[in-house]
Amino acid sequence: MYSKDILARLATLLLLASSSSLSFAQEGQCKKTVYLTFDTGNMSVAETVAEILSRQKIKATFFLSNEKTNRGDFALDDSWKSYWQDRVREGHHFGSHTFDHVYFIKDGPSADIYAKPQFGLKAGVTILYNEASYCREIRRVDDRFKELTGASLEKIWRAPGGKTSPRSIGMGTQCGYQHIGWSPAGFLGDELSPQTHPNQALLDKASINLKDGDIAMAHLGIWSRKDPWAPAVLEQLIMRLKNRGFCFATLPKVDK
């Protein structure tokens, strides 16, 4: 007789094989699209996410910031060079999440805004940014990414926490970067408490509520959640969406 562990592994392999066959069949015929995106976060599940995306043969869009990781370094340090180079080779897309993970606070006087970097030399200090200084904060990620990988970002960015105003979005636009948020159903909840939002509930909710054209958002690791979301939810969510006839695409959206 087979042990329960062996039977469970066989069941998982059969499910993955079935999903892979379905994905090949759907490539030329699926009618719905979802955009899977990841913000850097603390990078604790970065390798897990990469392995799942590769196994499921889908592409995602990553929004990068020089955030502190669970290894004690930072996401755009040289120590992460090979990770980002591998993702470039795999054909994923990349956008800016502001270099120092700068949270918008409020509009300021004249045409300026107040924002607070979470990392860097002025971490925790509320700063008045004009269009030029805010543009530098967005563009610094692009410059650093080129140093690490030789590739450029897409001309897209995402404000930390999704906190914006028309003025801050306009600053990014004048800098040449389109702001990308996420859809209401696309908030995948990986930063919520597992006590009130267990992984199974988050999986069920996203599996049902995501619709054609939605942008979904999670992180490559998050400090506030002790029960990691990605290992428990990501692959099952991808397979469920494939079963609903979804394809996965990268940002920015391409006009049909």
Side-chain angles (χ1 to χ4, degrees), residues 15-16 28 50 53 61-62 67 111-112 130 141 144 148 152 156 169 179 193 198-199 202 208 212 214 235-236 244 248:
L15 183 60
L16 291 174
L53 296 178
T61 304
F62 296 85
E67 298 186 62
D112 301 338
N130 60 25
V141 181
R144 179 58 179 154
L148 290 171
S152 297
I156 55 177
I169 290 176
H179 186 263
S193 167
N199 283 327
L202 293 176
I208 294 170
D212 186 26
D214 275 354
E235 193 151 27
Q236 293 183 65
R244 287 182 57 200
F248 295 81

Side-chain angles (χ1 to χ4, degrees), residues 85-99:
Q85 287 177 333
D86 288 345
R87 305 294 79 77
V88 169
R89 281 192 290 268
E90 290 164 354
H92 300 287
H93 280 195
F94 307 88
S96 175
H97 198 37
T98 70
F99 193 87

Side-chain angles (χ1 to χ4, degrees), residues 39-47 65-81 83-84 118-119 220-223:
D39 297 348
T40 39
N42 71 7
M43 302 292 285
S44 59
V45 294
E47 293 291 352
S65 186
N66 197 35
E67 298 186 62
K68 187 175 182 178
T69 81
N70 70 323
R71 303 191 317 201
D73 57 3
F74 291 83
L76 297 178
D77 281 352
D78 284 345
S79 50
W80 286 95
K81 183 174 184 176
Y83 180 85
W84 297 121
Q118 188 177 0
F119 302 101
L220 296 178
I222 199 79
W223 298 105

Side-chain angles (χ1 to χ4, degrees), residues 17-36:
S18 173
S19 174
S20 295
S21 298
L22 179 62
S23 67
F24 284 124
Q26 286 181 333
E27 281 180 358
Q29 64 187 29
C30 60
K31 302 299 182 183
K32 294 182 286 188
T33 302
V34 66
Y35 300 85
L36 190 58

Side-chain angles (χ1 to χ4, degrees), residues 94 139 142 146 153-157 175-179 252:
F94 307 88
R139 188 171 284 154
D142 206 346
K146 289 174 189 173
L153 302 180
E154 301 295 317
K155 293 300 182 182
I156 55 177
W157 74 290
C175 191
Y177 293 79
Q178 175 192 357
H179 186 263

Side-chain angles (χ1 to χ4, degrees), residues 10-253:
L10 287 172
T12 299
L13 288 171
L14 287 171
L15 183 60
L16 291 174
S18 173
S19 174
S20 295
S21 298
L22 179 62
S23 67
F24 284 124
Q26 286 181 333
E27 281 180 358
Q29 64 187 29
C30 60
K31 302 299 182 183
K32 294 182 286 188
T33 302
V34 66
Y35 300 85
L36 190 58
T37 73
F38 295 93
D39 297 348
T40 39
N42 71 7
M43 302 292 285
S44 59
V45 294
E47 293 291 352
T48 299
V49 169
E51 290 167 5
I52 291 171
L53 296 178
S54 177
R55 186 161 54 240
Q56 289 295 324
K57 296 179 171 59
I58 67 171
K59 303 295 185 289
T61 304
F62 296 85
F63 288 90
L64 280 56
S65 186
N66 197 35
E67 298 186 62
K68 187 175 182 178
T69 81
N70 70 323
R71 303 191 317 201
D73 57 3
F74 291 83
L76 297 178
D77 281 352
D78 284 345
S79 50
W80 286 95
K81 183 174 184 176
S82 62
Y83 180 85
W84 297 121
Q85 287 177 333
D86 288 345
R87 305 294 79 77
V88 169
R89 281 192 290 268
E90 290 164 354
H92 300 287
H93 280 195
F94 307 88
S96 175
H97 198 37
T98 70
F99 193 87
D100 285 328
H101 206 247
V102 176
Y103 276 93
F104 169 80
I105 304 297
K106 64 180 181 179
D107 287 342
S110 184
D112 301 338
I113 63 169
Y114 288 105
K116 183 186 294 186
Q118 188 177 0
F119 302 101
L121 296 176
K122 296 184 178 179
V125 178
T126 299
I127 299 169
L128 188 63
Y129 290 85
N130 60 25
E131 185 177 293
S133 58
Y134 201 60
C135 177
R136 281 196 297 273
E137 189 62 31
I138 295 171
R139 188 171 284 154
R140 282 176 70 195
V141 181
D142 206 346
D143 294 339
R144 179 58 179 154
F145 195 66
K146 289 174 189 173
E147 292 176 355
L148 290 171
T149 69
S152 297
L153 302 180
E154 301 295 317
K155 293 300 182 182
I156 55 177
W157 74 290
R158 171 176 288 161
K163 298 181 182 301
T164 63
S165 72
R167 184 180 295 177
S168 67
I169 290 176
M171 286 179 168
T173 301
Q174 289 300 311
C175 191
Y177 293 79
Q178 175 192 357
H179 186 263
I180 303 287
W182 55 85
S183 308
F187 177 74
L188 299 179
D190 64 329
E191 58 197 274
L192 301 174
S193 167
Q195 282 69 46
T196 55
H197 297 83
N199 283 327
Q200 187 62 48
L202 293 176
L203 170 62
D204 292 342
K205 182 179 179 181
S207 300
I208 294 170
N209 291 342
L210 281 168
K211 60 185 184 299
D212 186 26
D214 275 354
I215 297 171
M217 184 278 294
H219 299 80
L220 296 178
I222 199 79
W223 298 105
S224 59
R225 191 175 182 89
K226 304 307 178 186
D227 182 18
W229 171 91
V233 175
L234 179 58
E235 193 151 27
Q236 293 183 65
L237 175 60
I238 290 169
M239 290 188 290
R240 288 188 184 188
L241 291 174
K242 285 181 177 179
N243 285 331
R244 287 182 57 200
F246 278 91
C247 287
F248 295 81
T250 50
L251 293 164
K253 294 182 180 183

